[in-house]
Amino acid sequence: HTEENVENLVIGSGYGGAVAALRLTQAGKKVVMLEMGLDWEKEGGKYKPFSNLITPKNNSTWLKKSTQAPMMNIAHFNKKFTGVLDRMDYENIKVYAGRGVGGGSLVNGGMAVQPKKSYFKEIFPNLNVDEFWDNYFPLAKKELQVNEIPEDYYAQTPYYKFARVGESEAHKAGFETVRVPNVYSFDYMKKEEGDEVPKSALAKEVIYGNNHGKQSLEKTYLKKAIQTGLLHINDLHRVDYFQETENGYAVFVDVIDTEGLVVAKKTINCKNLFLNAGSIGTTKLLLTSRYKGKMTNFDASLGNDWGNNGNIMTGRNMVNTLFNRVENETTNTNHTTGTGSKQSTIPVSGIDNWEDKEHSFFAEISPLPMGVEVYTALYLVINKVPTPGTISYDPTVNDIQINWEKKNYKHTVENAKYFIKKMNKANGGTPAGLLWKGAYGPDICYHPLGGAVLGKTTDLYGRVKGYKNLYITDGALVPASIGVNPFLTITAIAEYCIKEIIKNDYSVS
Ligand code: FAD
């Protein structure tokens, strides 16, 4: 057991943690960051390459003996490993998250979507929306290196047939579509197709990590923070809970090995503590600390307003659409539909039905890159969450539970059914029941949000109510749903919070 003292401690290295670390180090502050997953870049990338979707190795999966992805073949391993994609299973919901330095940026699809202004206002009534549109969203996009797929490339590459078919089918059903920016470099992708560079997005890499092409956080925010010389990252450091001390906080840490076994215990004392373990991780740390660390001053809202961003995975079986010609489908020489045997893993288009008040949704047109034509259209539909769930702590198992029942996802399922029915009516096809019972997967969560909400559990800048020098700048701040893929919003909110914290609490302008 060792004890250390530091000034500024950041727990978690996803979007919230990376933004906090960059801005603090740029303000001249030394920062120590703790991450429970691996630093995938260390020792020359010893634990890489990351796995593709078809032949995953044990570095694909966080401490389980088989892969846990929603619709891919299951692979089994001899040994558990601190792999990059975790699935946390709760009673009615399975939450996915990235593990390692870079957090969710290591495993996500890279879609950098700005929410609807009106919905952002509805979700955050006390924030200055124009300030976000003028400053924080553009800043987040710049730092994250967001780019857009060139129209001429999109129009002709076989790797985006699935997206073009998805768009034209949506139009036929009367829906509007949008092209979605991404952090994956489309210059790189074009070179992949030309066989000029090693393939990544075009070689079925994404949820188990991308070996090339994606500008994940270790190449953007975290790289810049490390370059200041003031950031030190400790990987395989899993925080259990923390406690208030005379001068700040004592943080109790398990140091683990790559099989997840605890090899050392540490207490790290800090003055300023930044919780950025993601919606689930941060809420869990707070609730565990309330129980084990006797931190009883938290606001009563802690654990409330949790949601899955209205996520639902759904699909359409297109076999009976085989003889329908899809309009504008230039590469479709044999007049059949289908989504193509070649598919990029990086989604770039969405169906935007947000303005329909009765059925507001945003559907990501998702790839299903199996390497063969599977005649299946896949969508990740994102919805409002009118009845959010809650997170509570169960001391008997030293873990949280997510209280998530039918009432919490009823709206989401209804919207997905409406969407799929309309698509099938216009284009042919049936719900893809082979993939999920009933073809709708409301128990899948890629976008956990909330639990320690801005303006409720914290003040309007992420300062935790009831305590001093205790901050949150991650997805836990966003209540239940933001209506689009969330990391751009999480980054923008983190930028906004940390600016105020550095200016006022650190007196650095
Ligand atoms: P995270 O990025 O989850 O970071 C939290 C970090 O804290 C993690 O690295 C974690 O290992 C660490 N941690 C947790 N607990 C502890 C602890 N106790 N001790 C130490 N460290 C800890 N969003 C989009 O906007 N676009 C997309 O295309 C997209 N696709 C996705 C695809 C998948 C498969 C998944 C899983 C998510 C996707 N998301 C996408 C969601 C997005 O990645 C998350 O919303 C985002 O990463 C959340 O950021 P965060 O900073 O709140 O937390």
Side-chain angles (χ1 to χ4, degrees):
H1 193 132
T2 55
E3 200 154 328
E4 288 169 25
N5 298 306
V6 305
E7 178 92 359
N8 304 297
L9 189 67
V10 175
I11 303 173
S13 63
Y15 294 90
V19 172
L22 176 61
R23 299 310 174 200
L24 286 165
T25 52
Q26 283 179 334
K29 306 292 165 194
K30 270 193 179 169
V31 173
V32 171
M33 180 180 257
L34 306 179
E35 168 54 52
M36 71 194 257
L38 273 166
D39 175 355
W40 292 94
E41 302 307 312
K42 75 177 174 190
E43 297 169 51
K46 183 176 166 187
Y47 300 107
K48 289 180 25 172
F50 288 126
S51 297
N52 65 32
L53 287 167
I54 308 294
T55 52
K57 305 172 299 260
N58 68 355
N59 70 351
S60 63
T61 303
W62 179 258
L63 298 178
K64 290 203 181 103
K65 281 198 166 175
S66 62
T67 51
Q68 311 284 317
M71 67 231 108
M72 291 290 158
N73 300 339
I74 296 176
H76 296 274
F77 322 117
N78 293 330
K79 242 188 192 177
K80 288 184 193 173
F81 187 78
T82 47
V84 73
L85 183 66
D86 192 7
R87 193 180 87 183
M88 297 168 270
D89 293 359
Y90 299 100
E91 199 176 337
N92 291 317
I93 192 145
K94 300 177 176 78
V95 185
Y96 287 86
R99 296 283 172 245
V101 172
S105 79
L106 297 166
V107 300
N108 67 33
M111 293 172 82
V113 199
Q114 196 158 334
K116 294 282 173 188
K117 206 169 180 178
S118 58
Y119 193 49
F120 185 89
K121 224 175 195 161
E122 188 180 320
I123 292 292
F124 294 113
N126 298 316
L127 297 188
N128 180 341
V129 188
D130 291 328
E131 209 185 341
F132 272 83
W133 256 249
D134 293 346
N135 300 334
Y136 300 114
F137 277 109
L139 175 63
K141 279 187 187 163
K142 187 181 118 233
E143 295 287 2
L144 292 168
Q145 299 185 25
V146 172
N147 69 155
E148 286 176 28
I149 189 164
E151 198 56 41
D152 55 344
Y153 178 61
Y154 180 81
Q156 54 76 25
T157 172
Y159 288 94
Y160 280 107
K161 176 181 176 181
F162 77 94
R164 296 192 300 268
V165 168
E167 286 187 1
S168 39
E169 286 192 329
H171 296 158
K172 218 169 158 192
F175 292 119
E176 284 176 24
T177 60
V178 288
R179 218 51 64 64
V180 174
N182 205 289
V183 299
Y184 196 93
S185 162
F186 292 107
D187 280 343
Y188 189 88
M189 196 186 287
K190 280 163 72 176
K191 289 189 187 138
E192 288 179 48
E193 195 167 342
D195 277 330
E196 296 163 49
V197 292
K199 284 190 173 61
S200 185
L202 304 192
K204 306 179 187 68
E205 291 176 1
V206 65
I207 61 172
Y208 303 137
N210 277 97
N211 290 301
H212 314 276
K214 190 157 76 177
Q215 304 302 316
S216 32
L217 289 168
E218 82 285 1
K219 301 196 184 78
T220 59
Y221 274 97
L222 291 170
K223 185 176 176 189
K224 271 188 159 179
I226 288 168
Q227 281 167 351
T228 63
L230 295 173
L231 174 63
H232 183 78
I233 306 178
N234 287 319
D235 70 344
L236 301 177
H237 277 53
R238 188 176 60 203
V239 178
D240 184 11
Y241 71 104
F242 57 92
Q243 208 164 36
E244 198 180 18
T245 60
E246 228 168 85
N247 309 314
Y249 300 94
V251 176
F252 304 102
V253 185
D254 289 335
V255 184
I256 58 174
D257 66 13
T258 54
E259 288 177 59
L261 299 170
V262 179
V263 291
K265 291 204 172 260
K266 273 188 191 175
T267 304
I268 304 182
N269 300 305
C270 65
K271 179 167 174 246
N272 303 299
L273 181 56
F274 292 83
L275 307 176
N276 288 299
S279 160
I280 300 285
T282 291
T283 310
K284 181 173 168 176
L285 283 173
L286 288 160
L287 289 168
T288 311
S289 303
R290 183 165 74 188
Y291 182 78
K292 286 198 194 174
K294 314 232 171 342
M295 307 261 307
T296 51
N297 290 352
F298 294 131
D299 189 78
S301 61
L302 174 58
N304 293 352
D305 287 309
W306 187 84
N308 67 345
N309 207 16
N311 276 185
I312 185 164
M313 249 318 164
T314 187
R316 294 172 43 243
N317 184 325
M318 305 164 87
V319 172
N320 72 353
T321 70
L322 270 175
F323 300 103
N324 292 352
R325 187 191 164 93
V326 174
E327 284 165 49
N328 304 325
E329 182 42 58
T330 49
T331 60
N332 194 355
T333 48
N334 60 5
H335 292 209
T336 63
T337 58
T339 48
S341 57
K342 290 180 170 180
Q343 297 193 20
S344 167
T345 55
I346 297 299
V348 291
S349 18
I351 299 166
D352 181 353
N353 201 49
W354 203 258
E355 298 312 325
D356 174 348
K357 294 290 167 248
E358 213 180 320
H359 298 288
S360 299
F361 66 79
F362 177 82
E364 162 189 328
I365 299 174
S366 306
L368 188 56
M370 304 299 273
V372 290
E373 175 60 77
V374 286
Y375 293 106
T376 303
L378 189 66
Y379 311 92
L380 178 70
V381 188
I382 298 172
N383 295 280
K384 295 186 179 182
V385 179
T387 311
T390 60
I391 301 184
S392 48
Y393 179 73
D394 180 354
T396 60
V397 287
N398 184 26
D399 201 356
I400 52 164
Q401 59 187 40
I402 301 183
N403 308 300
W404 188 253
E405 295 159 22
K406 201 165 180 182
K407 64 172 191 237
N408 306 109
Y409 57 78
K410 190 168 160 269
H411 170 77
T412 287
V413 174
E414 280 168 6
N415 260 4
K417 283 189 176 159
Y418 166 83
F419 165 60
I420 293 293
K421 269 194 194 133
K422 229 176 138 177
M423 289 293 278
N424 284 339
K425 199 165 170 212
N427 298 287
T430 50
L434 289 176
L435 298 175
W436 302 278
K437 208 170 42 168
Y440 302 98
D443 58 342
I444 288 175
C445 173
Y446 277 0
H447 302 162
L449 292 173
V453 165
L454 192 77
K456 290 186 177 173
T457 306
T458 72
D459 75 355
L460 283 178
Y461 298 97
R463 299 180 183 102
V464 177
K465 288 182 186 169
Y467 292 92
K468 271 180 86 175
N469 305 333
L470 182 61
Y471 307 98
I472 300 170
T473 62
D474 68 5
L477 295 175
V478 182
S481 149
I482 194 64
V484 290
N485 313 60
F487 75 61
L488 190 67
T489 304
I490 294 170
T491 307
I493 288 181
E495 287 281 13
Y496 145 88
C497 289
I498 200 72
K499 188 176 174 193
E500 162 74 14
I501 292 165
I502 289 173
K503 192 169 148 219
N504 275 298
D505 302 16
Y506 286 80
S507 305
V508 179
S509 52

